[in-house]
Amino acid sequence: MRDCFELRDTDAGGRIGELRVPRADVTVETPALLPVINPNLQTISPRRLADEFGAEMLITNSYIIHNTDSLRERALEEGLHDMLDFPGAIMTDSGSFQLSEYGEITVTTEEILEFQYEIGSDVGTPVDIPTPPDVSRERAASELETTKERLEVAEGVDVGDMLVNAPVQGSTYPDLREDAARHADATVLDVFPVGAVVPLMNDYRYADMVDVVAAAKRGLGADAPVHLFGAGHPMMFALAVAMGCDLFDSAAYALYARDDRYLTVRGTRHLDDLDYLPCSCPVCTAHDPDDLRSIPDEDREEALAAHNLHVTFEEIRRIKQAIRAGNLLELVEQRARAHPAMLDGYRALLDHAEQLERTDPVSKGSFFYTSHESARRPEVIRHHERLARLEVPDAVFLTEGDPSSAGEYDDSWRVEPPFGPFPRALSKSYPLTAEVPDRTDRAALEAAARGVARLVEANPDSEFTLGHRGWPEGVLEALPDGVETIDLTRDR
Ligand code: GUN
Ligand code: ZN
């Protein structure tokens, strides 16, 4: 039983949780965004991150501190919290990212974990190996063995009440990711970052990111806090949260600001291309694009970094509110429209709808059908599973129309795309209260036909008649043999 993390609310695979960080004596609400602080150059000071942006936790790199004499001495003397002047929780990375960039580093897991402990880190990290995507299976498997050994070494290091990350590697091999996650979950370590996804993000491979996270989640317990290592673009947070990620770290706010790039939840814009600022944060209300372009480089970088952070934290709050309201997937669906690669990510999420269905609440506020992808949501799959267990009398009329025409049948059930049939008594229960556009699409009709098929297959001795509003021939053909159909839109 892991006692540092508690779930408060869930929606699809997403959750609101509380991460208890004993060494900092704080509780961090998740989903949480950890701004990345480069100990050598701070675009926005940690004090400002806490006071102005409400950052409860940040992440910095213990390896850079360890290898820079002046920082190392100060950190050992004053401690990380005083050195950075940050009142919340501090996570430290180990140098693994440098390892993946430069091929080698000069510390062991034992040394760097002890150092992280000595400088007062609240969440430390072993030296995992961030195996990139698409490498040979042999390499992914053998590097994963090394990462696993290092997690086992980490278990033996005395770190007091510092929490320790157990990164999950395995490249783009779902079975290796799942195995890595199972192994990590069985250690005494505390937080579970999904590692080496930065190359996927940089190449807009959101569908592959979703598959990697889905695989890791299969190997982790529901009570495992999951961090998406190095993921910082607000456009993809909703998608990653819906897959079950709880923590993010963003260097993007500062890195992008350096190149005059302006973050929005619909993607990144270059300051040179903006005629208007589509944001009402303090930076964007005080400036227009021309002002921003004309201020000195350093001030502009800071202003853009501040805007980028405002957008990023705003999106985290929006996601938390969506989880509370039970409409996280509607938000993911909106974000999916920002870029075809995001749409691919959302479609990949729906490929895992059965996995998400297990944590999706049975009842929520509303189901809005806002794209043909909605027909593949976990709620639809759950309703179809239910239909496979429902019993009907000998002769049933399933109809999109008026129940009064059902005189000659034993019972009349309602039919609503994308769910399909259901007893009228369920009409007022989630998700059958869904708001669906009148101008239905084919995906919704096909899903409804699948629902009919599930009910028919579960009741082989009953007779079914379907009253539909002009379903096309191709959809009707998918119904099981023996279902009689009546087109309610035709004169009879
Ligand atoms: N930062 C971004 N990706 C990674 C990773 O895979 N491991 C570690 N330790 N840090 C990272
Ligand atoms: Zn702004």
Side-chain angles (χ1 to χ4, degrees):
M1 190 48 213
R2 193 164 287 113
D3 57 8
C4 71
F5 193 55
E6 255 181 66
L7 297 182
R8 292 280 178 248
D9 213 336
T10 63
D11 188 9
R15 53 267 191 99
I16 292 181
E18 284 181 0
L19 180 69
R20 174 98 207 107
V21 188
R23 203 171 188 205
D25 196 23
V26 297
T27 298
V28 175
E29 188 179 70
T30 65
L33 183 273
L34 285 55
V36 174
I37 282 295
N38 180 333
N40 280 313
L41 77 172
Q42 301 175 3
T43 319
I44 308 268
S45 72
R47 173 54 62 180
R48 261 188 87 192
L49 289 174
D51 293 351
E52 221 177 293
F53 297 89
E56 294 184 305
M57 191 165 181
L58 58 73
I59 179 168
T60 191
N61 197 312
S62 70
Y63 183 70
I64 295 175
I65 297 171
H66 183 270
N67 285 20
T68 311
D69 289 343
S70 55
L71 289 172
R72 181 191 166 96
E73 273 163 37
R74 272 191 68 198
L76 285 168
E77 208 160 287
E78 299 170 32
L80 211 43
H81 287 78
D82 282 351
M83 179 173 109
L84 296 178
D85 187 22
F86 186 70
I90 300 179
M91 181 186 281
T92 43
D93 204 348
S94 58
S96 288
F97 193 66
Q98 283 67 22
L99 173 69
S100 70
E101 296 280 296
Y102 311 115
E104 107 186 286
I105 56 169
T106 54
V107 291
T108 64
T109 283
E110 224 160 357
E111 284 162 356
I112 201 70
L113 267 182
E114 276 167 8
F115 180 70
Q116 292 172 80
Y117 177 68
E118 282 169 32
I119 63 178
S121 171
D122 303 308
V123 187
T125 310
V127 184
D128 56 306
I129 302 191
T131 309
D134 315 317
V135 302
S136 74
R137 190 182 169 87
E138 290 64 36
R139 176 174 165 198
S142 112
E143 291 183 358
L144 177 55
E145 281 315 304
T146 307
T147 293
K148 285 180 175 176
E149 283 161 20
R150 292 178 183 179
L151 299 193
E152 287 161 21
V153 167
E155 286 188 284
V157 179
D158 184 6
V159 293
D161 59 355
M162 177 172 85
L163 300 179
V164 177
N165 278 325
V168 173
Q169 300 291 347
S171 183
T172 27
Y173 296 93
D175 59 322
L176 294 184
R177 288 279 183 178
E178 185 174 340
D179 171 65
R182 223 173 279 290
H183 171 269
D185 200 45
T187 65
V188 301
L189 307 181
D190 306 285
V191 179
F192 302 88
V194 177
V197 293
V198 172
L200 296 179
M201 309 286 166
N202 289 345
D203 291 345
Y204 280 57
R205 291 171 61 180
Y206 298 114
D208 291 330
M209 181 276 284
V210 162
D211 288 343
V212 160
V213 172
K217 291 289 289 189
R218 288 196 291 276
L220 292 169
D223 63 346
V226 177
H227 179 162
L228 196 60
F229 240 150
H233 198 301
M235 175 172 76
M236 50 70 67
F237 288 169
L239 178 66
V241 168
M243 288 307 301
C245 296
D246 307 298
L247 301 165
F248 300 91
D249 60 277
S250 172
Y253 77 95
L255 295 176
Y256 285 39
R258 207 164 297 158
D259 304 331
D260 279 345
R261 285 183 291 170
Y262 180 98
L263 296 184
T264 85
V265 291
R266 302 180 58 215
T268 309
R269 308 283 175 261
H270 198 278
L271 182 57
D272 289 346
D273 300 329
L274 287 175
D275 296 311
Y276 304 92
L277 298 179
C279 170
S280 300
C281 81
V283 174
C284 299
T285 41
H287 298 280
D288 65 27
D290 283 335
D291 301 338
L292 274 182
R293 280 188 283 265
S294 67
I295 62 180
D297 286 356
E298 221 166 272
D299 296 344
R300 189 173 65 252
E301 182 178 330
E302 186 184 328
L304 284 174
H307 156 81
N308 289 346
L309 270 176
H310 278 296
V311 172
T312 303
F313 278 107
E314 175 180 271
E315 181 69 352
I316 295 282
R317 291 192 297 276
R318 186 180 288 117
I319 288 167
K320 288 198 246 193
Q321 180 55 37
I323 295 172
R324 276 281 144 78
N327 56 27
L328 179 61
L329 288 181
E330 278 85 351
L331 179 60
V332 175
E333 223 156 65
Q334 284 180 28
R335 295 292 174 257
R337 266 60 205 171
H339 192 285
M342 284 291 307
L343 182 54
D344 223 17
Y346 178 45
R347 289 177 179 170
L349 173 147
L350 293 169
D351 291 340
H352 300 287
E354 265 177 68
Q355 186 176 330
L356 298 184
E357 189 272 328
R358 283 172 227 144
T359 52
D360 193 42
V362 174
S363 184
K364 312 184 205 174
S366 57
F367 178 114
F368 281 10
Y369 190 95
T370 55
S371 76
H372 69 81
E373 284 88 10
S374 304
R376 295 175 58 208
R377 280 176 51 165
E379 293 93 333
V380 179
I381 289 181
R382 176 180 296 149
H383 182 69
H384 290 174
E385 295 299 325
R386 188 176 187 183
L387 285 172
R389 298 189 305 268
L390 289 181
E391 275 181 36
V392 300
D394 291 343
V396 209
F397 189 37
L398 312 174
T399 182
E400 288 191 282
D402 184 350
S404 62
S405 58
E408 63 208 86
Y409 304 93
D410 298 326
D411 200 359
S412 149
W413 283 23
R414 254 180 77 187
V415 174
E416 290 288 346
F419 300 100
F422 52 89
R424 287 177 195 279
L426 292 182
S427 296
K428 293 209 161 36
S429 60
Y430 188 87
L432 303 168
T433 47
E435 300 275 352
V436 182
D438 290 336
R439 289 152 188 79
T440 315
D441 57 55
R442 183 153 179 138
L445 299 181
E446 282 171 349
R450 281 197 296 278
V452 172
R454 293 299 289 272
L455 186 67
V456 170
E457 282 154 15
N459 294 273
D461 299 328
S462 298
E463 283 176 23
F464 292 88
T465 306
L466 172 70
H468 64 88
R469 294 192 195 281
W471 293 13
E473 202 47 49
V475 172
L476 295 173
E477 274 166 15
L479 294 172
D481 290 341
V483 177
E484 207 174 309
T485 62
I486 303 170
D487 186 343
L488 304 167
T489 62
R490 291 221 184 112
D491 290 328
R492 283 190 289 143

